[in-house]
Amino acid sequence: MEKNTVNTSLIDSTAIKIIKNHYNFCHLHAMLEKIQHISVENLIVGSSYGLYGIIESLFQNGALNLSMHNQDIYYDFLAVKQAVKNAYTKPKRCFILLGYYALGQDLSSQSRLGHTLIKQIYYPLYRDSHNLDLSEYFDIWKWADVYQTFDCPDNAILELKETIDYFIWQQGSYFNSHCERGTSMSEKLNGILWDKCQPSLRTQLAQERADSHNKLIHYETSICENKQLLDKLMLYLSSQEIQPIIVIPPFSDEYNHFILPAYHEQILNVLEKMPYDIHYIDFNHYKIWSSLDFFDADHLSQQGAIRLSALLNDTFILNQ
């Protein structure tokens, strides 16, 4: 391929290739850049629950979402610190969306998927591999042949970053026409909405999902570390005069039937021992959700996300 110093069409085609194949990295990078240029009062972090459960546009005075699939408390903390460091104006609130099992989760020590995510997303973003002994990491620019394609790769990388960031910003949210809602359950649901799915299949999928989360209660080392990390995150937010708001999003009745009862009080007991002003809400205590609000066993549909976002805005922003 002929090398180019500045070639708009080549920049655009390379950017599209990167976004298509590494959307999650691109999205987080773009959000960390975006907060340098706009004022937002509300930060949002969490795992996929933060992606599926939040509609940023429904938050008064702006919201920036740094949630990501499988993201654990350690990388929630790094995302918050980087966002506050980058922020054009300091946020007032931080919504932290957690699953019941969150204290047992550690991407760096528990799964091959976690190691892949650290190599491809978190280490390139934060230069931090947590407990993972990382001998190499993913270089997205090398993957895209930037060093071989362009005469001035450093300039090309700057242009690519700007092009990718602008594209992501224009979408408005993680889910859009270029990235539709989908989870590991989507294939098993075969395109059928959760509300229309046979009860027996809903029960089966919910049990499988809950069982995978229930196993994390045995990871005592991770639980101990995450308790300390959560305390440090609360301390950090308090020191920055940012209100911490811990949110347990709603899950389907089927999922809640199988998730360990011991989880229900675990995070609350930890938070009650902390000497900080922390707001906490578990939406599973409110019998206001229907099967129409769920995309699968433990993720919200678009309708559910609108409802949850409106409730969070009304409860913690408008009424404060």
Side-chain angles (χ1 to χ4, degrees), residues 73-90:
I73 293 173
Y74 186 82
Y75 287 108
D76 284 341
F77 194 3
L78 290 189
V80 168
K81 288 194 293 185
Q82 191 64 51
V84 172
K85 179 182 177 181
N86 291 0
Y88 178 69
T89 58
K90 188 164 62 176

Side-chain angles (χ1 to χ4, degrees), residues 261-281:
Y263 275 140
H264 290 222
E265 301 298 327
Q266 188 182 59
I267 293 178
L268 182 57
N269 289 339
V270 170
L271 294 175
E272 286 178 339
K273 297 176 182 178
M274 295 182 184
Y276 318 113
D277 178 23
I278 303 169
H279 292 170
Y280 171 88
I281 187 166

Side-chain angles (χ1 to χ4, degrees), residues 1-7 9-11 14 145-152:
M1 182 180 291
E2 182 181 351
K3 290 192 174 184
N4 295 268
T5 303
V6 176
N7 183 322
S9 63
L10 188 56
I11 287 289
T14 304
D145 295 325
V146 171
Y147 303 111
Q148 288 75 37
T149 304
F150 296 89
D151 284 328
C152 299

